[in-house]
Amino acid sequence: MQRIDLHTHTVFSDGTDLPCQLLKQAKAMGLAAIAVTDHDTCEGLAAAEASGQAEGVQVIRGCKLSSMTERGEMHILGYWLPYRSAPLEDLLSRLRAQRNVRNERMVEKLCSLGCRLSMEEVQNLAGQGTCGRPHMARALLAHGYVRSLSEAFERYLASGRPAYVPKEVLSPDEVIPSLVRAGATVSLAHPLLHGYPESWLFATIKRLRDLGLDALEAWHSEHKPSDVHLCQAWAQALGLDLTGGSDYHGSNKPNVHLGTGRGNLQLSTAILEKLLRRRRAQGRLVKV
Ligand code: AMP
Ligand code: ZN
C-alpha cells in the first residue's frame, strides 16, 4: 500500500524541519504524497513543491488556520490552495497579526510569572516562520524554567494554564467560506482532540458542512480508535469525506513521526483519490 500524510509542519510555522528535510524524509519513508499544512501561512509551499519534485513525492499545497468557537479553538485544514489569491493572503496576514498580539500578551504573562523571556528571543526561535506557543516552550526550556516541552505546556502554556491567552481569531463560519472561495478543499483538523461535547460538535460540523466543509480529519496521532469511528460515522451521515495526517512537527513533537504518527497511522493513497474525486465533482481545479 502506498502511504501519504496530509498534516505536516515545517520551520515556516512551528515544525523543526526545513521543507527540503521534510520531503527527503517523506521519500525515505516511501510516502507517495504529503500535504504541507503550516499554521496561518503558505510561505513554505514553494520550497516544499520544489523539493517534492526533486524527491518524486507529491506535495499538496495546504495550510492550517486557527479559528475560535464559543467553546474554544477549532483548526481548519485547507488543501489545494491556489498559487495567488489576494483574499487568502489577506486572511492569512490578519491571522498572523492577531497571533502576534497574543504572543506578546503570553510572553508578558510568563514574565509576570517569573519566567523572564523576551518576545525577541521567542521570535528568533521562530525565525521567518509563524510564531506560537511551541517557540515559547523552547525558550522556557532553554532558560531552564522547565525540563521538557511538554512540561512547558502543562505548567504554563496549555489552555487553562496561567500564561495561556486565547487567540482572537475568526470563527470557522468565516474561515471556511474564505477557503472555499479560494478553491480549497476544507477539512476539520482533529475534531475530537479538544474534548468538546459530542452533540455540540456534531451540530457544529453539520453547520460547517453547509458552509462548505468537505471533510473530517479522522486519522490523527491523537485520535483514539473510537474517535476515528465517530468521525467515520459522522462523515457518512453528513456526506463528508475523510482525511488523515500525523501533525508532524519534527523535534517540537518528538513522539509524533511523519507518516506513522505515534506508530500506528496507515494512510493510503485511496484517501487522496477520494478527495480528488470530490474536487472533480465540484468542478474544482485538480492538479496532480
Ligand atoms: P499556537 O498555534 O501558538 O496556539 O500553538 C499550537 C501548537 O502548540 C500546536 O502545534 C500544538 O501541537 C502545540 N501544542 C498544543 N498543546 C500542546 C501540548 N500540551 N504539548 C505539546 N505541544 C502542544
Ligand atoms: Zn503546530
Side-chain angles (χ1 to χ4, degrees):
M1 176 180 91
Q2 280 239 287
R3 286 179 299 121
I4 62 170
D5 188 335
L6 299 181
H7 192 161
T8 70
H9 296 263
T10 75
V11 294
F12 284 89
S13 63
D14 52 2
T16 54
D17 284 11
L18 290 163
C20 60
Q21 294 170 319
L22 180 67
L23 267 302
K24 268 201 168 54
Q25 200 187 149
K27 163 86 180 289
M29 296 191 62
L31 298 183
I34 65 168
V36 176
T37 53
D38 277 311
H39 296 277
D40 301 342
T41 184
C42 297
E43 290 293 311
L45 297 182
E49 284 184 297
S51 299
Q53 286 226 322
E55 304 292 346
V57 176
Q58 187 191 336
V59 171
I60 292 126
R61 296 169 52 79
C63 68
K64 183 180 186 182
L65 305 189
S66 305
S67 73
M68 190 59 85
T69 69
E70 68 269 26
R71 292 201 179 253
E73 288 199 26
M74 228 173 215
H75 293 168
I76 314 291
L77 293 159
Y79 294 119
W80 289 283
L81 300 180
Y83 283 88
R84 253 174 242 98
S85 160
L88 181 60
E89 283 308 320
D90 244 34
L91 173 68
L92 293 172
S93 58
R94 270 170 75 191
L95 293 175
R96 289 195 298 266
Q98 286 163 331
R99 213 175 231 289
N100 290 340
V101 173
R102 182 253 202 157
N103 288 341
E104 281 177 17
R105 289 183 56 209
M106 284 192 71
V107 169
E108 279 166 20
K109 280 199 164 193
L110 285 168
C111 286
S112 71
L113 292 163
C115 302
R116 305 200 60 77
L117 306 182
S118 70
M119 192 56 230
E120 195 186 354
E121 66 179 307
V122 175
Q123 186 65 58
N124 282 344
L125 286 171
Q128 296 294 304
T130 308
C131 184
R133 286 184 286 164
H135 305 105
M136 296 173 207
R138 276 170 53 196
L140 287 167
L141 184 61
H143 280 268
Y145 292 124
V146 292
R147 276 156 298 172
S148 67
L149 297 174
S150 53
E151 187 189 337
F153 277 91
E154 278 151 29
R155 278 182 66 184
Y156 298 109
L157 305 173
S159 172
R161 306 309 301 151
Y164 180 76
V165 174
K167 286 185 210 132
E168 286 172 31
V169 291
L170 303 173
S171 80
D173 304 57
E174 296 168 276
V175 169
I176 289 173
S178 300
L179 284 168
V180 171
R181 279 195 296 275
T185 291
V186 184
S187 181
L188 182 60
H190 42 64
L192 280 310
L193 188 71
H194 303 280
Y196 300 140
E198 280 179 22
S199 57
W200 175 85
L201 188 57
F202 181 76
T204 302
I205 290 171
K206 189 160 185 275
R207 193 183 72 242
L208 299 179
R209 188 268 322 257
D210 295 340
L211 293 172
L213 183 71
D214 293 292
L216 301 178
E217 188 183 44
W219 300 281
H220 181 270
S221 300
E222 310 303 333
H223 268 184
K224 302 188 292 290
S226 57
D227 298 333
V228 177
H229 291 144
L230 196 54
C231 285
Q232 286 171 322
W234 286 353
Q236 176 140 38
L238 297 174
L240 295 168
D241 272 314
L242 298 170
T243 68
S246 62
D247 210 350
Y248 174 75
H249 281 69
S251 58
N252 275 342
K253 278 195 194 168
N255 299 324
V256 172
H257 304 286
L258 182 64
T260 57
R262 291 184 181 274
N264 48 10
L265 277 184
Q266 288 222 353
L267 306 164
S268 110
T269 47
I271 296 169
L272 201 51
E273 283 153 19
K274 210 149 178 254
L275 292 173
L276 286 169
R277 279 203 293 280
R278 186 181 187 95
R279 282 182 73 76
R280 279 193 200 98
Q282 291 166 327
R284 291 187 191 156
L285 188 70
V286 178
K287 179 177 168 286
V288 271

